[in-house]
Amino acid sequence: MSGQYRNSDQPLDSNVEASALPPAGDAASKAGASATPDHPFLRACRRLPTERTPVWFMRQAGRYLPEYRAIRRNASLLEICHTPELAATVTLLPVDELDVDAAIVFADILLPFEPMGLGLSFIEGTGPRIEHPIQSAADVETLRPVDPVTDLGYVLETIQLASAQLRDRVPLIGFAGAPFTLASYAIEGGATRSFARTKRFMYNEPAAWHELLDNLAQTVGRFLSAQAAAGAGALQLFDSWVGCLSRDDYARYVAPHSARAIELASEAGAPIIHFGTGTSTLLDSMAEAGGDVIGVDWRIPLDEAWEQAPHLGIQGNLDPAVLSAPLPEIQHQVSDVMKRAGRRAGHIFNLGHGVPPTADPERLKAVVSMVRERSVAHV
Ligand code: CP3
């Protein structure tokens, strides 16, 4: 893969005719003029009335799907991401398999680390590994600036291909990691439970910390806006690990940067879902930082979460572990989430975090059916 963002007038070796692709930057490919503006998912993002509750799942394209595992036997995660034809195919798998109301582009939040010069690999059974983690203030100075079109064009191309293949079936979600969650991987060098290195850097090198988060905010903000321009009808900012912070630290060290990323991302006009886990104590501050929809996990009842961000839509919040429960228990918990949302416009049904790799696709299909059966009009 060349890494170049191909325009519609360049040949594409895929089953989608090049002429079916919207020209990059064309008004019709802008999110404001999405091919599916009246889809319940996009209406719910804007808190407009819908005839039913839209549903999709974070990490809906992944190892729990046999079709994904088959593709992974011949290609690494990064190879799939770098190959738009393959990534677009994977993007569409859960739409065909589960009948969800949105597709999410197949990519990873850590991809910008490659052009930044941090070095990225995924180790089987361990997770991401950053080859050159940020260990000092000087390391922040060495980060290369990222241009979304030239450096991450393969993701934009996947969006073009996937949205052409989806036609008007369901909207496509673009995404990026939020500055804090990305900084935690860049500093820790991989996954962590304690965020000890991240916090040590934050408290001891505040100037370099703010420079790093500003750099990441600009990178992901521009990247998200480019994804909307390429055809993503909505955007999600994943601040998966921000719940490890106190309210005060979130306000001082993180919120301004998330706000900057969201402000830049909003330029293309697509609605933005602002997601985190363990954020029961941060929801009002996250809502203030920006976004049209707040994403919440299962640790807080949906109605209580919504009280903290009453002016926004809300996405969530079934515990992914419930997927391992017997069907009556799943039914009980799906109903509870929907009861708490009530008839208020703006609820998007989802899990509180990603689909576990061990999930049974049949259980996810059952959840989609339950949401459809229990759906009422939202006003
Ligand atoms: O449908 C989808 O959502 C798939 C697209 C997607 C991936 N990663 C592909 C992926 C999305 C939206 C992500 C987001 C992502 N990546 C997040 C935020 C969401 C969350 O879970 O909090 C984070 C923190 C990452 C970083 C990351 N990528 C980790 C920690 C891991 C290893 C853990 C794991 O699940 O294996 C990955 C790998 C990864 N990214 C996989 C997929 C499908 C599994 C890798 C594989 O196929 O080997």
Side-chain angles (χ1 to χ4, degrees):
M1 174 59 216
S2 65
Q4 281 299 332
Y5 185 26
R6 288 184 300 209
N7 277 318
S8 57
D9 55 354
Q10 292 174 286
L12 282 159
D13 48 348
S14 104
N15 56 2
V16 169
E17 293 295 322
S19 60
L21 293 175
D26 183 315
S29 71
K30 289 269 198 282
S34 162
T36 52
D38 290 328
H39 191 283
F41 168 73
L42 290 178
R43 290 183 60 86
C45 285
R46 305 243 182 244
R47 290 201 64 196
L48 294 170
T50 54
E51 74 273 16
R52 62 183 175 82
T53 304
V55 51
W56 71 281
F57 302 110
M58 289 179 279
R59 307 293 285 267
Q60 65 188 13
R63 282 170 303 193
Y64 79 98
L65 277 180
E67 297 88 344
Y68 175 76
R69 290 200 300 272
I71 292 171
R72 273 285 275 115
R73 276 197 277 279
N74 301 313
S76 70
L77 172 65
L78 285 175
E79 280 165 351
I80 300 175
C81 292
H82 291 165
T83 313
E85 289 76 11
L86 213 45
T89 300
V90 176
T91 301
L92 265 71
L93 286 178
V95 180
D96 294 329
E97 189 62 23
L98 308 176
D99 191 27
V100 282
D101 288 309
I104 181 160
V105 62
F106 193 82
D108 195 89
I109 61 164
L110 303 179
L111 294 175
F113 285 4
E114 295 187 292
M116 288 174 87
L118 287 164
L120 174 66
S121 57
F122 289 90
I123 314 292
E124 213 64 58
T126 311
R129 198 178 78 193
I130 313 313
E131 322 287 333
H132 314 292
I134 291 170
Q135 291 170 333
S136 68
D139 290 342
V140 177
E141 304 299 328
T142 66
L143 295 174
R144 290 202 288 268
V146 174
D147 178 309
V149 172
T150 52
D151 295 323
L152 295 161
Y154 59 88
V155 176
L156 306 180
E157 197 179 330
T158 300
I159 288 174
Q160 280 202 321
L161 278 172
S163 50
Q165 286 167 2
L166 281 166
R167 307 209 178 259
D168 293 344
R169 286 176 68 195
V170 294
L172 178 63
I173 303 167
F175 72 91
F180 174 79
T181 290
L182 288 182
S184 78
Y185 282 104
I187 294 168
E188 305 279 346
T192 174
R193 278 173 192 275
S194 67
F195 299 90
R197 285 195 179 94
T198 307
K199 291 183 182 183
R200 188 185 307 136
F201 194 93
M202 185 172 91
Y203 297 130
N204 288 287
E205 299 287 355
W209 170 267
H210 285 293
E211 193 182 326
L212 172 62
L213 266 76
D214 181 58
N215 182 328
L216 291 166
Q218 306 239 18
T219 298
V220 297
R222 287 198 306 261
F223 184 33
L224 284 168
S225 171
Q227 291 184 52
L235 302 168
Q236 178 154 330
L237 189 69
F238 281 94
D239 214 348
S240 303
W241 310 129
V242 74
C244 74
L245 295 174
S246 72
R247 283 180 63 84
D248 189 50
D249 284 353
Y250 178 75
R252 285 162 59 209
Y253 291 102
V254 175
H257 305 292
S258 295
R260 177 85 180 115
I262 291 169
E263 182 192 322
L264 288 167
S266 312
E267 271 168 21
I272 297 170
I273 303 164
H274 190 180
F275 166 80
T277 69
T279 53
S280 313
T281 52
L282 299 178
L283 291 172
D284 55 341
S285 318
M286 283 178 71
E288 204 179 299
D292 302 275
V293 177
I294 191 90
V296 293
D297 77 6
W298 61 95
R299 294 174 177 92
I300 179 168
L302 189 97
D303 47 345
E304 285 179 33
W306 215 344
E307 275 167 28
Q308 290 191 48
H311 55 296
L312 299 185
I314 192 159
Q315 177 174 281
N317 72 338
L318 187 73
D319 183 346
V322 172
L323 294 170
S324 69
L327 281 173
E329 179 65 27
I330 300 182
Q331 216 144 39
H332 170 74
Q333 299 224 16
V334 168
S335 297
D336 184 64
V337 169
M338 294 184 75
K339 236 181 285 159
R340 289 177 189 280
R343 294 179 65 94
R344 284 172 289 183
H347 177 221
I348 298 160
F349 194 99
N350 206 315
L351 304 176
H353 204 172
V355 177
T358 52
D360 175 356
E362 293 305 319
R363 286 286 201 270
L364 285 161
K365 281 188 215 173
V367 172
V368 172
S369 301
M370 290 172 196
V371 174
R372 298 259 157 84
E373 278 161 22
R374 278 160 185 70
S375 267
V376 289
H378 296 271
V379 291

